[in-house]
Amino acid sequence: MCNLNLFVSFLNLCLRLFCGADFEKLLKEILLVPSPTGYEHRLAEKIQKLLPEALPTEKDNLGSLYLSLGKGTQKLALLACMDEYGYIITGVTEDGYLRMDRVVPAPHPVYDSFHQGHPMLIRTEKGLVTGVMAIPSVHILSRGRREELQSFSLDQAFLDIGVRSEQEVREKGVRMLDPVVPLPDFTQLAGEKMAGPGLGSKTCCALLLDVSGKVRAEKLSQAATFVWMAQTKFNRRSRRLTEAMGASCVKSKLDPERAIIIDVFPVDWSKEVDISIGKGPVLVLNTSKGSSLGERIEAIAEDKGIPLQKYSGFQSSVMNPFLSESSDILILALPVQFFATPVEMVDFKDVRALEGLLQSLLD
Amino acid sequence: MKKKYMISIIGLSICFSLLSVCNSDSLSSWELMKKLVLIPGVSGYEGEVADFIQSLFPVGIKPQRDEMENIWFSAGEGRPHLLFVAHTDEIGLVVDQITPEGTLKVKGRGGFLAQMYEGHPVVICTDEGPVNGVVAPRTGYSQRDAGSSNFRLNDIEIHLGISSEEEARSLGIKEENQITIKKNVIELSPDLIATRAVDDRAGCAALLSAASRIDWKRIKGKTVTFAWDVQEETGLFGASRLARTLKPDYVFAVDTFVSSDTPLDEKRFARIVLGEGAVIRAIDSSNIAPRFVLEKVMKIAGDNQIPFQLGNTRGGNDGSVFVPEGAADIPLSWPGVYSHSFIEKIHRHDLEALTRLIEALVKDFNGVRLPKLQ
């Protein structure tokens, strides 16, 4: 996989510029593990390996990973989402092209079109296989077909892995339902920003991992459980609020009184929202109901001079399962520009600020 | 001692790097192409590509270069005059405007689907070095009706991670800087790659590789010119400039044969298979190669046991501008799919067959005697 080796070298360089050596190592390892919804187990294994060996972890039936530290009657859960958007292999044509489907709904109407004519990565049991999403040649396109291509969807998607038959597909190790994601290619931008596919959620996972490794369990005045959740983009069938399946499972297992969800905040998904990248993490409260956890975070931010943006009224399928009269739940989000595109943009000033807030809260 | 050791390692690295393109005295077209595709050279900005190619010209020949950055050399003398030409430019973008918010609006160079750029990283080539950017997705891309609007060239807006025109200029960005997609060479297999600018760096590489294998002192009874020209994608401008000075009898334009060997393209024409040899591009949108010349070229390919295919496709070629001046244009190609995209795919066997075909024609093609009028 010489392609990936190149990306790893470049990634090393970017991350070294933006963050400390420990966090750099964690994020690099996490960014390169494809984890579309339902296929998070490799990422969970990677996170488990990156945790200190002595720390006790467990998993639930969906594959979410739990790490419990400290003792006490009060319980605090810190949660991050492991899954990213992607596809699965659902067919092979006679001449060796792969067909795909999605496991969860596309995050927005033009999601598929970002991938036509670009490289993709398949995770197989034998390892990673690179392919390209076929695109017609401009020279031999009729004007009518050219217009049709603007509404590209999975119906027109053929993944080319450079083979000519079903037999060769099998020889490459590609099987039905293998997961597919955009090639993890990350770009360093000016002003401490970086862009790449799945960068927001993966950075949140790495942050939680970094913070969990730095917490001194014996000093914790409460029981803290760190959870890397699977299947957060897949919603349970319900007539109630939209609830992420993975989050519902975590709720039934932990039933935390207080929870902080470390998630992304898509800054450009609503015109009414005045939140930007580079201006600090976003404290997201579900209702106007007071939150002692939120007040504590605001106090820390003020005390430490950490920039913090605020937003309330956000509907989140990850937060919904935890909502109850007695619970104190909030999202502490990393602002992300161009979320769910191959160039999700993150400002590493926000990452450091979020890390500072979490560490101060646990200390 | 440590310093000595380091110098040895650096020396060895350089040797290995050169060895990857050089085999004895000849250059590998496949390895050359993999290097050439990564050099930025949007139409009108081919200087760096020309420099690289010229640095590998055969020893002892006299290089020529004009103000447009066309480069060429000739050997032998007299008629017929054979011209082999490949173009150094690629499709891409140019900075049109730096906005007060520090984003970039662009102009296009060549024909492509603008939506390929949406949501992808690009590289702006400034005098101070490359600067990374990303093309923003369309405004309101997450909204329910986002798919109903088309993404056009005017919609391309590049974000650099800054927020003012002043910051953009401090990065070295200026109007008219060239912009390419962030290039990756995707190795689908050891013999198959997909990347940007295979059109026409593969042609450039085949020509350069053939040049390194030919004994130029032995060209007798004809003139042979190898040229690498510019601005093909925007209107065959470099070739038109060459046509003012070079008056060949036969032009072999070395460029992509746009093949329909994909699951998406109409198979009624251009049905030439990747991996089955070079292509003699008999008919395209700019030229119909004379059949009697084609027969001669096919015979030489056959005699030299070079696998080849014959086909018709769309698109133009540089050789066509020499036809009104009296030359016959016989374009030589490899089958290329996903043309003018960021994943132009090419098979090693086809490129190597093309390189051998160029070499064989230089050796064996001495023109075709025209049928006399009765």
Side-chain angles (χ1 to χ4, degrees), chain B residues 31-81:
Chain B
E31 296 304 326
L32 272 174
M33 179 193 62
K34 288 201 279 184
K35 291 188 187 308
L36 275 164
V37 293
L38 296 175
I39 304 173
V42 172
S43 292
Y45 300 79
E46 300 89 345
E48 203 179 327
V49 185
D51 289 346
F52 179 87
I53 292 169
Q54 198 174 328
S55 72
L56 294 170
F57 270 8
V59 177
I61 59 99
K62 186 185 164 198
Q64 304 206 60
R65 189 163 180 153
D66 66 20
E67 72 288 351
M68 288 182 83
E69 308 283 14
N70 290 314
I71 53 171
W72 71 96
F73 67 84
S74 298
E77 56 184 8
R79 297 275 171 187
H81 182 181

Side-chain angles (χ1 to χ4, degrees), chain B residues 249-264:
Chain B
D249 302 298
Y250 300 94
V251 188
F252 299 92
V254 184
D255 202 347
T256 317
F257 178 96
V258 179
S259 161
S260 59
D261 185 16
T262 80
L264 292 169

Side-chain angles (χ1 to χ4, degrees), chain A residues 216-274:
Chain A
R216 280 171 291 178
E218 69 281 4
K219 286 205 165 182
L220 277 175
S221 59
Q222 56 196 322
T225 305
F226 297 82
V227 188
W228 291 269
M229 294 184 288
Q231 296 191 25
T232 65
K233 292 171 176 61
F234 183 65
N235 294 328
R236 64 185 290 192
R237 285 184 171 256
S238 162
R239 287 186 183 164
R240 295 176 55 238
L241 288 170
T242 311
E243 294 183 351
M245 189 68 89
S248 297
C249 280
V250 173
K251 154 76 176 171
S252 72
K253 185 175 171 70
L254 290 182
D255 196 16
E257 294 150 4
R258 299 181 306 148
I260 299 174
I261 301 163
I262 317 299
D263 203 354
V264 297
F265 190 100
V267 298
D268 41 10
W269 278 30
S270 168
K271 282 178 190 163
E272 285 78 44
V273 175
D274 185 23

Side-chain angles (χ1 to χ4, degrees), chain B residues 7 47 75 90 98 100 123 180 189 195 200 216 271 282 296 308 313 327-328 336 351 363 366 369-370:
Chain B
I7 290 168
E90 61 180 298
I98 307 172
V123 178
T180 68
S189 76
T195 185
D200 184 28
W216 292 97
R271 198 169 184 181
K296 178 77 177 175
F308 72 93
T313 187
L351 185 64
K363 184 166 62 79
N366 296 306
R369 193 166 297 175
L370 291 172

